[in-house]
Amino acid sequence: MPVNGNRPLKLQFGLINHEGRYLTAETFGFKVNASAPSLKKKQIWTLEQDTQVVYLRSHLGRYLASDKDGKVTCEADGHNSDCRFLIVAQSDGRWALQSEQYLRFFGGSRDYLSCFAQVITDAELWTMHLALHPQANLLSVARKRYARLSVEDGEIAMDLNIPWGVAALLTIVYLDGKYCLKTCDGRFLSNDGKLLTQTGRSTAYTLELKCGKLAFKDCEGKYLSPMGPTGTLRSGRCSKPGKDELFDLEESHPQVVLIAANGRYVSIRQGVGLAANQEDETDMETFQMEIDKETKKCTFRTSQGNYWALVAHGGIQSTDTEVSANTMFSLEWLSHKVAIKASNGKYICIKKNGQLLAVSDSIGEDEKLTLKLINRPMLILRGENGFICHHRNSIMLDASRSVYDMFTLQFSNGAYHIKGVDGRFWYVNSVGLVCSDGEVPEDFTLELLEHGRLAIRGKNGKYLRGDQGGTLKGDGLSLSSSALWEY
């Protein structure tokens, strides 16, 4: 189990055929084709691995299968023998999928897909396009350490026990069938370990899969691996991936600082008891929020790996190493502020000496905290129908694109300003459309409501949502699936 207590992200991807079209699982009739020009919900497949054998699960929860005559369906609701495939990786990173039972290869184009080829030709080769949210933490399987940007050394070092702070956030950029690793300051990892401001041949890697882990192969056919005492990430001498060349991608949880009504940061600097008594932000004032998928309650984790816990008389201490009822908290979002309720049903309040105690029955000024998200300076948002992206020919924003834009998130006194690549700001216009050409910043508030998903409210108090036509609007009166965004 990795040190962060996270499980590796389930590998989700699109498969692109030799004609540049994506393998698609249609909603009706459990049919499959390769007709789609871009990666959306119907084109996402989840890999389930059983030693050497893989199963490919569609967005409908059904499995790709082939019968003895090479007929391909996606109807099976369990792991039966017709659903067992082997990945035959090619030197260019493409895959051939071979039926384990019948030893034939899967391929074709448009509506004419079959698993009957006895040899691999171009029509049986598929390119993997990762469908995970592109921002993640990278774990070295061999070293059990996470990647971070080392600004002073100008490198990515694999030396973190817990992926902490904005430096641990990497963006996996897909470019022409290959992948680049982008640091939080916008630079790209070159195969010699240097960080470059532009992408090029040396920053492009082919993604390979081995035993469910990822390997990054460079333009010379060598693999990224951690080197030396700090685990400098660069290409080694190996032209076959061993344990040193394998990585997991893990979800990057939100990390926050909390500011009390006294203007001080909540901290563990003074010991295990939590108090709002510090004037600056360090790792001691930063907490990782881990939201439970079922209950939507949240734990707060310290940089040492301990959890906030409710103790006797309403005290809050950072002592627990395991999640329990006493480490779970509920958040109530109050526009620019947040209130936190402990498992005793009481709100946390800040005493005169800065101490945190869960003793309040109602919310007053002493129970309100300002919460600041620190590890998403660049925001990539994905809704139920796709990513948020600038509209091609207007100032509006699309919310259903297969490609994403990165937006800058700037904190401002409990709210956020969202800025595009052109330096202009988001705002909600008079008819409820979200526009991206603002000269002056407008306040938006974030609510971290679910595991991996947030909601955004405009200054009108309404939620940002993607409408049926794929346009981003700021008119949501209540929270719905169209107003929740992976970040």
Side-chain angles (χ1 to χ4, degrees):
M1 195 66 164
V3 224
N4 197 29
N6 289 352
R7 284 184 174 77
L9 285 164
K10 263 216 163 122
L11 274 183
Q12 292 188 315
F13 47 79
L15 286 172
I16 308 168
N17 75 354
H18 64 296
E19 296 174 337
R21 300 285 168 159
Y22 286 81
L23 181 65
T24 302
E26 293 298 350
T27 314
F28 303 106
F30 302 110
K31 289 189 168 63
V32 287
N33 62 54
S35 303
S38 62
L39 178 63
K40 291 194 179 175
K41 190 176 176 179
K42 290 183 191 175
Q43 289 75 38
I44 292 177
W45 298 83
T46 303
L47 188 82
E48 295 180 2
Q49 190 130 8
D50 177 7
T51 59
Q52 293 305 306
V53 172
V54 298
Y55 300 90
L56 293 172
R57 195 177 83 224
S58 76
H59 66 106
L60 300 167
R62 302 297 180 113
Y63 293 90
L64 191 72
S66 161
D67 68 11
K68 65 181 190 314
D69 301 318
K71 187 181 175 209
V72 175
T73 56
C74 194
E75 199 165 346
D77 54 8
H79 287 183
N80 65 40
S81 57
D82 282 356
C83 304
R84 294 167 67 89
F85 288 91
L86 302 167
I87 293 174
V88 184
Q90 307 298 299
S91 60
D92 63 1
R94 287 190 293 174
W95 293 356
L97 289 168
Q98 185 179 31
S99 162
E100 189 207 34
Q101 181 133 324
Y102 307 112
L103 301 177
R104 302 294 181 100
F105 294 98
F106 171 58
S109 66
R110 302 204 171 255
D111 290 328
Y112 304 101
L113 299 180
S114 66
C115 190
F116 208 61
Q118 290 176 300
V119 293
I120 300 168
T121 69
D122 218 30
E124 286 73 46
L125 290 175
W126 301 86
T127 301
M128 175 175 69
H129 180 178
L130 272 189
L132 308 169
H133 189 282
Q135 289 174 310
N137 300 132
L138 188 69
L139 175 76
S140 161
V141 171
R143 296 206 180 198
K144 294 190 167 55
R145 294 289 183 274
Y146 292 90
R148 71 173 172 91
L149 165 66
S150 170
V151 178
E152 57 279 7
D153 297 322
E155 64 179 31
I156 293 177
M158 307 274 330
D159 62 358
L160 289 181
N161 285 326
I162 296 178
W164 208 256
V166 69
L169 187 71
L170 288 174
T171 304
I172 316 296
V173 180
Y174 181 73
L175 215 57
D176 303 324
K178 297 211 173 356
Y179 290 84
C180 306
L181 291 173
K182 188 177 190 179
T183 56
C184 62
D185 65 356
R187 291 186 286 171
F188 299 91
L189 179 69
S190 175
N191 60 356
D192 60 2
K194 294 191 171 73
L195 296 173
L196 308 180
T197 53
Q198 300 289 322
T199 56
R201 190 167 172 265
S202 70
T203 64
Y205 302 92
T206 301
L207 212 51
E208 291 189 3
L209 205 59
K210 188 178 176 190
C211 311
K213 308 295 180 192
L214 297 172
F216 295 86
K217 184 165 79 170
D218 74 7
C219 55
E220 312 288 341
K222 303 290 192 269
Y223 291 83
L224 286 182
S225 87
M227 305 275 193
T230 61
T232 301
L233 193 57
R234 59 185 172 86
S235 290
R237 291 196 275 283
C238 291
S239 48
K240 270 211 171 111
K243 194 176 180 185
D244 283 340
E245 288 74 38
L246 296 181
F247 300 89
D248 271 325
L249 284 175
E250 288 186 7
E251 178 178 7
S252 169
H253 289 287
Q255 291 174 352
V256 302
V257 295
L258 294 156
I259 306 151
N262 63 9
R264 303 291 175 96
Y265 290 99
V266 174
S267 179
I268 53 166
R269 212 180 297 192
Q270 60 288 328
V272 291
L274 283 144
N277 60 5
Q278 297 299 322
E279 291 183 359
D280 50 352
E281 282 175 41
T282 70
D283 284 353
M284 298 283 194
E285 289 72 46
T286 304
F287 304 101
Q288 178 161 289
M289 288 174 64
E290 298 174 14
I291 300 173
D292 185 83
K293 284 181 177 167
E294 307 303 321
T295 65
K296 313 281 196 285
K297 288 184 176 173
C298 167
T299 58
F300 290 93
R301 203 163 186 212
T302 70
S303 56
Q304 274 86 44
N306 294 337
Y307 293 98
W308 289 18
L310 175 70
V311 294
H313 312 298
I316 306 291
Q317 294 189 349
S318 61
T319 46
D320 286 28
T321 54
E322 300 287 328
V323 173
S324 67
N326 285 338
T327 66
M328 303 301 280
F329 297 86
S330 303
L331 271 67
E332 292 184 19
W333 299 90
L334 313 161
S335 181
H336 290 49
K337 306 271 183 183
V338 65
I340 302 173
K341 190 186 271 188
S343 57
N344 61 0
K346 306 281 187 183
Y347 292 101
I348 291 176
C349 79
I350 313 297
K351 292 297 176 191
K352 290 280 180 283
N353 64 356
Q355 188 186 3
L356 270 64
L357 287 177
V359 293
S360 297
D361 291 314
S362 59
I363 301 170
E365 284 311 302
D366 291 336
E367 288 73 32
K368 290 179 183 173
L369 293 153
T370 301
L371 180 146
K372 173 183 170 187
L373 177 65
I374 63 128
N375 64 335
R376 289 295 185 282
M378 305 303 288
L379 198 60
I380 296 171
L381 295 169
R382 181 164 72 176
E384 58 180 356
N385 295 314
F387 289 103
I388 294 183
C389 194
H390 283 101
H391 195 282
R392 284 190 186 91
N393 308 315
S394 80
I395 58 170
M396 298 187 308
L397 291 155
D398 281 336
S400 62
R401 294 286 291 282
S402 60
V403 292
Y404 58 82
D405 278 333
M406 289 178 87
F407 298 96
T408 304
L409 195 65
Q410 297 174 333
F411 182 75
S412 173
N413 192 24
Y416 297 84
H417 302 147
I418 305 173
K419 192 163 71 169
V421 279
D422 58 1
R424 291 169 184 265
F425 294 93
W426 286 20
Y427 63 95
V428 181
N429 74 7
S430 56
V431 292
L433 289 168
V434 182
C435 302
S436 61
D437 67 332
E439 297 286 342
V440 291
E442 183 166 294
D443 282 359
F444 291 88
T445 52
L446 304 186
E447 300 178 1
L448 312 182
L449 296 172
E450 291 191 5
H451 185 98
R453 287 180 169 79
L454 53 71
I456 305 173
R457 286 189 198 245
K459 69 172 187 185
N460 59 8
K462 294 176 180 170
Y463 289 105
L464 268 53
R465 65 178 186 92
D467 74 0
Q468 291 303 99
T471 300
L472 187 64
K473 291 189 169 174
D475 63 357
L477 296 173
S478 61
L479 199 62
S480 64
S481 59
S482 64
L484 286 168
W485 306 96
E486 278 181 72
Y487 63 101

